[in-house]
Amino acid sequence: MNITVIGAGYVGLVTATCFADLGNKVLCIEKSENKIRKLSAGESPIYEPGLTELLRENIERKNLLFGRDIAEGVAYADVIFLCVGTPQSEDGRADLSQVEEASRQIALCMKSYKLVIEKSTVPVNTHRWVKRTMYRYLSSDIPFDVASNPEFLREGSALSDFMNPDRIVVGVENDRVKETFIALYKPITDKGHPLLVTNPAEAELIKHAANSFLAMKISYINKLADLCEKTGADITMVAKGIGLDTRIGTRFLQAGIGYGGSCFPKDVKAFIRIAEQNGVDFTLLKDTEIINCERRERFIDKIEQILWINKDKNIAVWGLAFKADTDDIRESPAITIVKALEESGANLFLYDPAAMDNFKLVMPEKANLRYAQDKYDALSNCDALIVLTDWKEFAEADLSEVKKRLRLPIVIDGRNIFPLELMKTQGFEYYSIGR
Ligand code: UGA
């Protein structure tokens, strides 16, 4: 099948590359010249394990092309995926201007039938606006369909999430569109992954509802972690104990310094606003958000309670990305925490396996804020090590080397990456979350 993908951000690029890899001919349209230059040379503008290789393979196989001209994209395929950004606007709602612009431009250059599919995360009933916009700008009575096909991939495991999804959700209004999706996803459904057919409004809702539910699960376990700290229980055991109930499930019950990234914070906010606009006061999600914001402050207080005075202390920080396996620092708890430590007068030595370049744009290097060569280099002569991201290479660190390098064997872990017993036997003064 010929497919056009509009937008080469996280979702667009992964969608384009994976559909190309499944044997389709894909043209990905992107405004940024810089991105197009990189992509055409087989370079991924985002850090995602395995993406560069898959990108190159499919460019070589001529299954994947990049371009800037939306008219070219519209002429190229009958199936068009909208993967443009839907950032947060000042009042918390999703800013849909890029969705409107793409819908308008598609309509303006359409000469034959098109199926326009929303893949970006959008508020419920956005499909109605896409349709309305297209009707308004179409020059003649050309038929088209609008469908919703939300994406559930996670940064860091995006390719495998796309190819092996828990489910594929398609929101359609007629059988023709349903059959197109069945054909498009056949290589994936043949492996046993289910495809759920709904109407477009349900599909749009499912995306926001899923992200909000997962965020709520994280805030729940984080609040429970506070109770564990007060009562002498270990949150990892409590999480295991409740998670083994298959109705609850063990995943997304990792307590820590809260969720970040480009999705959960934005989507929870947007979902609260969507509910509000429809007369529903979603207090459960408001609390989810409040609890998440408090995590960072609580952790900053915890550091102060342990170190007493941060001023002039040398502090090593492991992890700047909002989670492991990504260079993304958007809404990363590390931004708030590192800023607070810096303001309190500490000398900081930061290290992250992938996110340092991005972090430097927010917090440039200076006398009291240095970026280390590697994780051990960050530790030399430090009074404490603070862990902010759950990278595997941190969990697998040589603890005797860590102890040797630190001036004081104090580890304050915001992600619970080390076993309590091990830290005790290794002689660390170890603090973590809810244990
Ligand atoms: C999230 C969803 O998991 C995807 O399904 C969705 O497609 C994506 O948003 C999106 O809407 O585009 P992502 O933001 O990549 O994916 O990251 P997650 O793995 O979900 O983690 C989000 C945050 O929650 C991270 O800061 C992570 O550290 C935190 N987290 C996650 C916890 O604190 N505890 C957990 O148990 C799990």
Side-chain angles (χ1 to χ4, degrees):
M1 209 180 281
N2 274 20
I3 297 172
T4 293
V5 172
I6 300 182
Y10 224 102
V11 169
L13 197 51
V14 173
T15 302
T17 310
C18 289
F19 275 135
D21 201 56
L22 291 174
N24 301 287
K25 297 279 178 208
V26 183
L27 171 61
C28 184
I29 302 293
E30 165 61 46
K31 271 184 180 173
S32 153
E33 240 173 272
N34 191 26
K35 261 193 195 174
I36 291 287
R37 208 175 311 116
K38 272 193 168 174
L39 286 165
S40 303
E43 253 179 73
S44 169
I46 53 173
Y47 174 94
E48 179 63 37
L51 184 59
T52 304
E53 294 77 358
L54 210 64
L55 193 71
R56 286 186 185 160
E57 270 173 41
N58 285 287
I59 291 174
E60 267 170 37
R61 284 163 66 198
K62 304 217 180 326
N63 277 0
L64 184 55
L65 297 164
F66 294 94
R68 290 192 68 217
D69 183 6
I70 200 157
E72 188 196 343
V74 174
Y76 184 81
D78 290 349
V79 175
I80 303 174
F81 279 93
L82 293 185
C83 298
V84 294
T86 52
Q88 188 181 304
S89 53
E90 290 222 331
D91 63 1
R93 287 188 299 171
D95 172 356
L96 297 173
S97 55
Q98 293 180 52
V99 176
E100 190 272 345
E101 187 189 343
S103 318
R104 180 163 32 92
Q105 288 185 344
I106 291 169
L108 285 171
C109 49
M110 245 170 79
K111 295 203 167 46
S112 59
Y113 170 84
K114 302 290 161 193
L115 166 58
V116 176
I117 305 164
E118 307 164 341
K119 219 180 212 327
S120 317
T121 303
V122 292
V124 60
N125 285 327
T126 298
H127 71 281
R128 291 193 187 158
W129 274 107
V130 171
K131 256 177 149 171
R132 211 162 159 186
T133 306
M134 289 182 65
Y135 276 127
R136 280 179 179 161
Y137 288 92
L138 268 180
S139 55
S140 60
D141 204 9
I142 306 167
F144 68 90
D145 285 300
V146 174
S148 165
N149 172 214
E151 187 47 63
F152 302 102
L153 54 83
R154 290 161 301 168
E155 291 186 19
S157 55
L159 300 181
S160 136
D161 286 348
F162 189 97
M163 296 295 196
N164 306 290
D166 286 347
R167 79 304 202 187
I168 299 156
V169 174
V170 297
V172 305
E173 284 179 319
N174 59 51
D175 283 347
R176 174 181 179 170
V177 176
K178 178 177 154 186
E179 292 309 320
T180 305
F181 276 119
I182 289 175
L184 194 59
Y185 281 110
K186 189 167 183 303
I188 296 177
T189 52
D190 277 354
K191 291 190 286 177
H193 303 289
L195 181 126
L196 177 71
V197 182
T198 67
N199 68 33
E202 287 158 355
E204 289 164 335
L205 262 178
I206 286 168
K207 171 67 196 192
H208 265 128
N211 271 6
S212 299
F213 189 88
L214 291 169
M216 189 183 75
K217 218 174 160 186
I218 297 170
S219 280
Y220 180 83
I221 206 68
N222 280 336
K223 206 67 192 167
L224 206 54
D226 293 349
L227 188 58
C228 285
E229 278 184 20
K230 299 279 180 210
T231 53
D234 179 343
I235 189 64
T236 43
M237 290 314 288
V238 177
K240 199 169 180 182
I242 61 172
L244 284 172
D245 182 331
T246 50
R247 292 172 302 175
I248 296 171
T250 48
R251 295 166 74 191
F252 277 72
L253 287 181
Q254 179 73 43
I257 46 179
Y259 58 78
S262 64
C263 303
F264 285 179
K266 165 178 85 101
D267 291 350
V268 170
K269 262 200 182 63
F271 207 37
I272 293 170
R273 292 306 309 269
I274 292 165
E276 243 165 44
Q277 284 169 329
N278 287 282
V280 176
D281 187 9
F282 219 143
T283 47
L284 196 59
L285 290 184
K286 288 181 183 167
D287 282 340
T288 297
E289 202 187 12
I290 293 169
I291 293 168
N292 195 58
C293 290
E294 284 170 0
R295 300 314 293 168
R296 299 161 197 213
E297 299 308 323
R298 237 186 104 80
F299 192 67
I300 293 163
D301 286 349
K302 183 180 233 163
I303 296 170
E304 205 176 288
Q305 278 163 27
I306 295 162
L307 300 183
W308 185 27
I309 303 288
N310 291 338
K311 191 170 180 300
D312 296 333
K313 294 256 163 67
N314 291 343
I315 299 178
V317 176
W318 277 5
L320 304 170
F322 82 95
K323 66 170 192 177
D325 296 324
T326 178
D327 66 350
D328 198 341
I329 59 156
R330 285 175 289 176
E331 297 284 331
S332 174
I335 298 176
T336 320
I337 295 165
V338 170
K339 271 190 181 151
L341 290 175
E342 198 219 347
E343 278 162 18
S344 65
N347 299 312
L348 299 171
F349 299 87
L350 314 180
Y351 177 72
D352 187 285
M356 288 201 292
D357 286 346
N358 284 337
F359 211 82
K360 278 179 194 168
L361 300 175
V362 182
M363 301 197 73
E365 189 151 35
K366 50 182 146 166
N368 61 341
L369 190 138
R370 297 271 165 76
Y371 288 86
Q373 299 292 329
D374 61 49
K375 59 180 178 289
Y376 299 119
D377 174 42
L379 306 172
S380 302
N381 214 23
C382 278
D383 302 290
L385 161 64
I386 290 174
V387 181
L388 300 182
T389 314
D390 50 347
W391 283 94
K392 197 162 169 239
E393 76 159 77
F394 297 158
E396 290 173 351
D398 176 350
L399 290 174
S400 51
E401 186 65 27
V402 173
K403 193 152 173 242
K404 203 167 82 193
R405 300 248 185 159
L406 285 170
R407 181 154 65 184
L408 298 176
I410 300 176
V411 177
I412 310 171
D413 178 0
R415 298 288 186 177
N416 291 355
I417 63 169
F418 298 117
L420 287 176
E421 267 313 302
L422 180 67
M423 294 306 274
K424 202 168 157 191
T425 50
Q426 293 274 342
F428 284 98
E429 198 183 319
Y430 178 59
Y431 304 90
S432 50
I433 305 284
R435 308 196 283 177

